[in-house]
Coordinates of all heavy atoms in Angstrom, one line a residue:
K1 N 1.6 -5.9 0.5 CA 0.7 -7.0 1.0 C 1.1 -7.4 2.4 O 0.3 -8.1 3.1 CB 0.8 -8.2 0.0 CG 0.1 -7.9 -1.3 CD -0.1 -9.2 -2.1 CE 1.3 -9.8 -2.6 NZ 1.1 -10.9 -3.4
H2 N 2.3 -7.1 2.8 CA 2.8 -7.6 4.1 C 2.5 -6.6 5.2 O 2.8 -5.4 5.1 CB 4.3 -7.8 4.0 CG 4.8 -8.9 5.1 ND1 4.9 -8.6 6.4 CD2 5.1 -10.2 4.9 CE1 5.3 -9.7 7.0 NE2 5.5 -10.6 6.1
P3 N 2.0 -7.0 6.4 CA 1.6 -6.2 7.5 C 2.8 -5.4 8.0 O 2.7 -4.2 8.5 CB 1.1 -7.1 8.6 CG 0.6 -8.3 7.8 CD 1.5 -8.4 6.6
D4 N 4.0 -6.1 8.0 CA 5.2 -5.4 8.5 C 5.5 -4.1 7.8 O 6.0 -3.1 8.4 CB 6.4 -6.3 8.4 CG 6.5 -7.3 9.5 OD1 5.6 -7.3 10.4 OD2 7.4 -8.2 9.5
A5 N 5.3 -4.1 6.5 CA 5.5 -2.9 5.7 C 4.6 -1.7 6.2 O 5.1 -0.6 6.3 CB 5.3 -3.2 4.2
W6 N 3.4 -2.0 6.4 CA 2.4 -1.0 6.8 C 2.8 -0.5 8.2 O 2.6 0.6 8.6 CB 1.0 -1.5 6.7 CG 0.5 -1.5 5.3 CD1 0.5 -2.6 4.5 CD2 0.1 -0.4 4.5 NE1 0.0 -2.3 3.3 CE2 -0.3 -0.9 3.2 CE3 -0.1 0.9 4.8 CZ2 -0.8 -0.1 2.2 CZ3 -0.6 1.8 3.8 CH2 -0.9 1.2 2.5
E7 N 3.1 -1.5 9.1 CA 3.5 -1.2 10.5 C 4.6 -0.2 10.5 O 4.6 0.8 11.3 CB 3.8 -2.4 11.2 CG 4.2 -2.2 12.7 CD 4.8 -3.4 13.3 OE1 4.8 -4.5 12.7 OE2 5.4 -3.3 14.4
T8 N 5.6 -0.5 9.7 CA 6.8 0.3 9.7 C 6.6 1.8 9.2 O 7.0 2.7 9.7 CB 7.9 -0.3 8.8 OG1 8.2 -1.7 9.2 CG2 9.2 0.4 8.8
L9 N 5.7 1.8 8.0 CA 5.4 3.1 7.5 C 4.5 4.0 8.4 O 4.9 5.1 8.7 CB 4.7 2.9 6.2 CG 4.3 4.2 5.4 CD1 5.4 4.7 4.6 CD2 3.0 4.0 4.6
V10 N 3.5 3.4 9.0 CA 2.6 4.1 9.8 C 3.3 4.5 11.1 O 3.1 5.6 11.6 CB 1.4 3.3 10.2 CG1 0.5 4.0 11.2 CG2 0.6 3.0 8.9
S11 N 4.2 3.7 11.6 CA 4.9 4.0 12.8 C 5.8 5.2 12.6 O 5.9 6.1 13.4 CB 5.9 2.8 13.2 OG 6.7 3.2 14.3
A12 N 6.5 5.3 11.4 CA 7.3 6.5 11.0 C 6.4 7.7 10.9 O 6.8 8.8 11.4 CB 8.0 6.2 9.7
M13 N 5.2 7.6 10.4 CA 4.3 8.8 10.3 C 3.9 9.3 11.6 O 3.8 10.5 11.9 CB 3.1 8.4 9.4 CG 3.4 8.1 7.9 SD 2.1 7.3 7.1 CE 0.9 8.7 7.0
I14 N 3.5 8.4 12.5 CA 3.1 8.7 13.8 C 4.2 9.4 14.6 O 4.0 10.5 15.3 CB 2.5 7.6 14.6 CG1 1.2 7.1 14.0 CG2 2.3 7.9 16.1 CD1 0.7 5.8 14.5
R15 N 5.4 8.8 14.5 CA 6.6 9.4 15.2 C 6.9 10.8 14.7 O 7.3 11.7 15.5 CB 7.8 8.6 15.0 CG 7.8 7.3 15.8 CD 9.0 6.4 15.4 NE 10.2 7.0 15.6 CZ 11.4 6.6 15.1 NH1 11.4 5.6 14.3 NH2 12.5 7.3 15.3
A16 N 6.6 11.1 13.4 CA 6.9 12.4 12.9 C 5.9 13.4 13.3 O 6.1 14.6 13.1 CB 7.0 12.3 11.3
G17 N 4.7 13.0 13.8 CA 3.7 14.0 14.3 C 2.5 14.1 13.4 O 1.7 15.0 13.6
F18 N 2.2 13.1 12.5 CA 1.1 13.1 11.6 C -0.1 12.3 12.2 O 0.2 11.3 12.9 CB 1.5 12.7 10.3 CG 2.3 13.7 9.5 CD1 3.6 13.4 9.2 CD2 1.7 14.8 9.0 CE1 4.4 14.4 8.5 CE2 2.4 15.8 8.3 CZ 3.8 15.5 8.1
V19 N -1.3 12.6 11.7 CA -2.4 11.8 12.0 C -3.2 11.5 10.7 O -3.2 12.5 9.8 CB -3.4 12.4 13.0 CG1 -3.9 13.7 12.5 CG2 -4.6 11.5 13.3
V20 N -3.6 10.3 10.4 CA -4.2 10.0 9.1 C -5.7 10.5 9.2 O -6.4 10.1 10.1 CB -4.1 8.5 8.7 CG1 -4.9 8.2 7.5 CG2 -2.7 8.1 8.7
T21 N -6.1 11.3 8.2 CA -7.5 11.7 8.2 C -8.3 11.1 7.1 O -9.6 11.1 7.2 CB -7.5 13.3 8.0 OG1 -6.9 13.6 6.7 CG2 -6.8 14.0 9.1
A22 N -7.7 10.5 6.2 CA -8.5 9.8 5.1 C -7.5 8.8 4.4 O -6.3 9.0 4.4 CB -9.1 10.8 4.1
S23 N -8.1 7.8 3.8 CA -7.4 6.8 3.0 C -8.2 6.5 1.8 O -9.4 6.2 1.9 CB -7.0 5.6 3.8 OG -8.2 4.9 4.2
W24 N -7.6 6.5 0.6 CA -8.2 6.3 -0.7 C -7.5 5.1 -1.4 O -6.4 5.4 -1.8 CB -8.2 7.5 -1.5 CG -9.0 8.7 -0.9 CD1 -8.4 9.6 -0.1 CD2 -10.4 8.9 -0.9 NE1 -9.4 10.5 0.4 CE2 -10.6 10.1 -0.2 CE3 -11.5 8.4 -1.6 CZ2 -11.9 10.7 0.0 CZ3 -12.7 8.9 -1.4 CH2 -12.9 10.1 -0.6
P25 N -8.2 4.0 -1.7 CA -7.6 3.0 -2.5 C -7.9 3.4 -4.0 O -9.0 3.5 -4.4 CB -8.3 1.7 -2.1 CG -9.6 2.2 -1.6 CD -9.4 3.6 -1.0
I26 N -6.8 3.6 -4.8 CA -7.0 4.0 -6.2 C -6.3 3.0 -7.0 O -5.1 2.6 -6.8 CB -6.4 5.4 -6.4 CG1 -7.0 6.4 -5.5 CG2 -6.4 5.8 -7.9 CD1 -6.5 7.8 -5.6
Q27 N -7.1 2.4 -8.0 CA -6.6 1.4 -8.9 C -5.5 2.0 -9.8 O -5.9 2.7 -10.8 CB -7.7 0.7 -9.7 CG -7.3 -0.6 -10.4 CD -8.4 -1.4 -10.9 OE1 -9.5 -1.1 -10.5 NE2 -8.1 -2.4 -11.7
T28 N -4.3 1.7 -9.6 CA -3.2 2.3 -10.4 C -2.4 1.3 -11.2 O -1.5 1.7 -12.0 CB -2.2 3.0 -9.4 OG1 -1.8 2.0 -8.4 CG2 -2.8 4.1 -8.7
E29 N -2.7 0.0 -11.1 CA -1.9 -1.0 -11.8 C -2.6 -1.6 -12.9 O -3.9 -1.9 -12.8 CB -1.4 -2.1 -10.8 CG -0.7 -1.5 -9.5 CD 0.5 -0.7 -9.9 OE1 1.2 -1.0 -10.8 OE2 0.8 0.2 -9.1
M30 N -2.0 -2.0 -14.0 CA -2.6 -2.6 -15.2 C -2.8 -4.1 -14.8 O -1.9 -4.8 -14.3 CB -1.7 -2.5 -16.4 CG -1.5 -1.1 -16.9 SD -0.3 -1.0 -18.3 CE -1.2 -2.1 -19.4
N31 N -4.0 -4.6 -15.1 CA -4.4 -6.0 -14.9 C -3.6 -6.9 -15.8 O -3.4 -8.1 -15.6 CB -5.8 -6.2 -15.1 CG -6.6 -5.5 -14.0 OD1 -6.2 -5.3 -12.9 ND2 -7.9 -5.0 -14.4
T32 N -3.1 -6.3 -17.0 CA -2.4 -7.2 -18.0 C -0.9 -7.2 -17.8 O -0.2 -7.9 -18.6 CB -2.7 -6.6 -19.4 OG1 -2.3 -5.2 -19.4 CG2 -4.2 -6.7 -19.7
R33 N -0.4 -6.5 -16.8 CA 1.0 -6.5 -16.6 C 1.5 -7.9 -16.2 O 0.8 -8.7 -15.6 CB 1.5 -5.5 -15.5 CG 1.1 -5.8 -14.1 CD 1.3 -4.6 -13.1 NE 1.3 -5.0 -11.8 CZ 0.2 -5.1 -11.1 NH1 -1.0 -5.1 -11.7 NH2 0.3 -5.4 -9.8
M34 N 2.8 -8.3 -16.4 CA 3.4 -9.6 -16.2 C 3.2 -9.9 -14.7 O 2.9 -11.1 -14.4 CB 4.8 -9.6 -16.6 CG 5.5 -10.9 -16.4 SD 5.0 -12.2 -17.4 CE 5.7 -11.7 -19.0
R35 N 3.4 -9.0 -13.8 CA 3.4 -9.3 -12.4 C 2.0 -9.8 -11.9 O 1.9 -10.6 -10.9 CB 3.7 -8.1 -11.6 CG 3.7 -8.2 -10.0 CD 4.7 -9.1 -9.5 NE 4.6 -9.3 -8.1 CZ 3.8 -10.2 -7.6 NH1 3.1 -11.1 -8.3 NH2 3.8 -10.4 -6.2
A36 N 0.9 -9.4 -12.7 CA -0.5 -9.8 -12.2 C -0.8 -11.2 -12.7 O -1.9 -11.7 -12.4 CB -1.4 -8.7 -12.7
H37 N -0.1 -11.8 -13.6 CA -0.4 -13.1 -14.2 C -0.3 -14.2 -13.2 O 0.9 -14.5 -12.8 CB 0.4 -13.3 -15.5 CG 0.0 -12.4 -16.6 ND1 0.7 -12.4 -17.8 CD2 -0.9 -11.4 -16.7 CE1 0.1 -11.5 -18.6 NE2 -0.8 -10.9 -17.9
G38 N -1.3 -14.9 -12.8 CA -1.2 -16.1 -11.9 C -0.8 -15.8 -10.6 O -0.3 -16.6 -9.9
S39 N -1.0 -14.5 -10.1 CA -0.6 -14.2 -8.7 C -1.6 -13.2 -8.1 O -2.3 -12.6 -8.8 CB 0.8 -13.6 -8.7 OG 0.9 -12.4 -9.3
A40 N -1.5 -13.1 -6.8 CA -2.4 -12.2 -6.1 C -1.7 -10.8 -6.0 O -1.5 -10.3 -4.9 CB -2.7 -12.7 -4.7
A41 N -1.4 -10.3 -7.1 CA -0.7 -9.0 -7.1 C -1.7 -7.8 -6.8 O -2.8 -7.9 -7.1 CB -0.1 -8.7 -8.5
L42 N -1.2 -6.8 -6.1 CA -2.0 -5.7 -5.8 C -2.4 -4.9 -7.0 O -1.5 -4.7 -7.9 CB -1.2 -4.8 -4.8 CG -0.9 -5.3 -3.4 CD1 0.0 -4.4 -2.6 CD2 -2.2 -5.5 -2.7

């Protein structure tokens, strides 16, 4: 959820010589998990 995390990751990818051609958000987390209760969990 934090922009710094994405900035750090994408910066490493660009430095390594990659370019992003597509991005797919895929629902991978259970809505009933403890972390999702009462919070804005991804």
Side-chain angles (χ1 to χ4, degrees):
K1 292 190 291 185
H2 204 285
D4 280 355
W6 285 99
E7 177 192 353
T8 305
L9 181 83
V10 174
S11 174
M13 294 170 67
I14 293 174
R15 286 173 59 196
F18 286 108
V19 59
V20 179
T21 59
S23 62
W24 299 92
I26 299 178
Q27 190 165 349
T28 55
E29 308 301 327
M30 293 176 61
N31 294 329
T32 55
R33 71 192 194 279
M34 180 69 72
R35 176 69 183 87
H37 291 177
S39 67
L42 292 172

